[in-house]
Amino acid sequence: MFSREHRSGIFLLLLLILFGQLAYFFLSENLFQNKEIKEDKAWLLVQNEIDSLKQIKTNSKDTIYPFNPNYITDYKGYKLGMTIQEIDRLHAYRKQGKFVNSAKEFQQVTQVSNDFLSKISPYFKFPDWVVNKRTSTSEKFHKFLPKEKEKIIQKDINTATREDLIAVYGIGEKLADKILLEKEKLGGFVSMEQFQFIWGISLEAITDLQKRFFVKNTSEIKKIAINDLSMKELAKFPCFNYALAKEIVVYRTMNNGIKDITDLTKIKGMPNEKIKIIALYLEF
């Protein structure tokens, strides 16, 4: 049906199609392999970067800076690894107006394990006066030690001078001035137990104060008429503030006056740890 020229043309066309298919097959395979190699290299670079970031994260540790353990918050305690119960014990202790002054006291209050204590105690930073009280043996602190054969004659704390207070073990010039200022604000001391609520006075100093002084007479101290004074006048008393003065006025209005110390314990915001001392300044 076809001439010789037609058959030759068809045969040549078939050869061209065959060579074209073979060329496409080999060329496309090489292009695909090159593309895969490029993609693999790109993924390897990304993966190496991810692996390096993971390694940095694995090797990194949270930096702990020196801190005063008395002011550990819920979040800080959680970050350190403390349990909720351990944090609550510390907060309850602080609400009493007390402070931990050593790693040992911190463990006694919070009941943390020895392993945890050894881990974080190197980062504890206490005030200088606490550190100096424990470690300093210089003459500056030795001069506060009472002499062995010194005969101590007790005096009325409300007549004590600055020099009398400086003679007490653990009390220097600044603390002596602080005590005198506190006495001036209150109009006088009514109990030797008050000194445990003055920040900076150590237990040893309180013990020596009780040896040297006593409260002789409180009759000259002007008492606060808690049922008569206005909210503004009550707020001026050092043991009260405006919020507490407001609660006092509300309570006495609703209960026909405040009759005794039992009523004081029912007032919202009243510092119960000081309530016996506060009651001595009040007139019911």
Side-chain angles (χ1 to χ4, degrees), residues 140-177:
K140 178 181 178 181
F141 288 91
H142 277 300
K143 71 179 183 179
F144 298 136
L145 291 170
K147 297 178 182 178
E148 292 182 3
K149 297 183 179 180
E150 179 184 5
K151 185 177 181 181
I152 299 176
I153 300 175
Q154 281 193 319
K155 298 180 180 179
D156 182 5
I157 187 63
N158 289 313
T159 62
T161 63
R162 188 170 186 262
E163 289 71 23
D164 291 335
L165 293 171
I166 292 174
V168 177
Y169 167 71
I171 294 181
E173 295 177 355
K174 290 183 179 180
L175 269 179
D177 291 338

Side-chain angles (χ1 to χ4, degrees), residues 13 29 36 38 47 49 55 73 130 215 247 262:
L13 178 62
E29 185 177 0
E36 279 189 338
K38 288 181 180 179
Q47 188 62 43
E49 186 175 353
Q55 187 65 30
T73 61
V130 175
V215 178
E247 293 292 336
T262 304

